[in-house]
Amino acid sequence: QVQLVESGGGLVQAGGSLRLSCAASGRTFSSYAVGWFRQAPGKERIIVAAIRRSSGSTYYADSVKGRFTISKDNAKNTVYLQMNSLKPEDTAVYYCAAELGPLITATPTYWGQGTQVTVSS
């Protein structure tokens, strides 16, 4: 089992940057595929970025490709989401997630509590 705690959210102007962190306790992130999801008010939760457990290959939603970067530091048991060139439509609660399989799915086994990101226009 693993417990996940997100941090790094906040208020930023359009065009600015934030880095979200997700710290894990229990098993190391090397045992899991990990990813980031977000949910805006009145909308469904969607996957934003993911990284495979073994290969390290990454996935990004088209809406964030070229602006967001997911990375993982196994030694520190932390996964990051670097968010650049933020837009008002990026405003959402962001969640990190972990999956026992090789690739994160739409319904991961483990979730963090979420951190709010608000982008002003």
Side-chain angles (χ1 to χ4, degrees):
Q1 295 185 344
V2 62
Q3 290 75 49
L4 309 174
V5 179
E6 301 99 330
S7 62
L11 176 64
V12 64
Q13 292 184 345
S17 298
L18 286 173
R19 188 181 72 166
L20 306 183
S21 299
C22 178
S25 61
R27 295 185 186 179
T28 66
F29 271 125
S30 64
S31 300
Y32 300 89
V34 296
W36 287 91
F37 292 72
R38 71 184 184 190
Q39 187 168 25
K43 295 189 176 182
E44 297 295 321
R45 187 176 299 183
I46 63 168
I47 191 166
V48 172
I51 186 167
R52 286 186 177 269
R53 179 178 64 191
S54 298
S55 70
S57 63
T58 56
Y59 161 86
Y60 298 97
D62 287 342
S63 59
V64 307
K65 194 171 297 182
R67 301 188 296 119
F68 290 12
T69 303
I70 186 172
S71 61
K72 182 173 63 173
D73 188 332
N74 289 328
K76 296 181 178 179
N77 252 2
T78 302
V79 63
Y80 304 96
L81 185 68
Q82 178 66 46
M83 305 185 295
N84 299 325
S85 302
L86 284 162
K87 305 174 181 179
E89 53 262 43
D90 295 319
T91 295
V93 177
Y94 284 72
Y95 302 86
C96 66
E99 179 63 57
L100 292 173
L103 180 66
I104 205 80
T105 69
T107 55
T109 303
Y110 303 103
W111 292 91
Q113 85 288 347
T115 185
Q116 177 71 47
V117 172
T118 302
V119 184
S120 62
S121 60

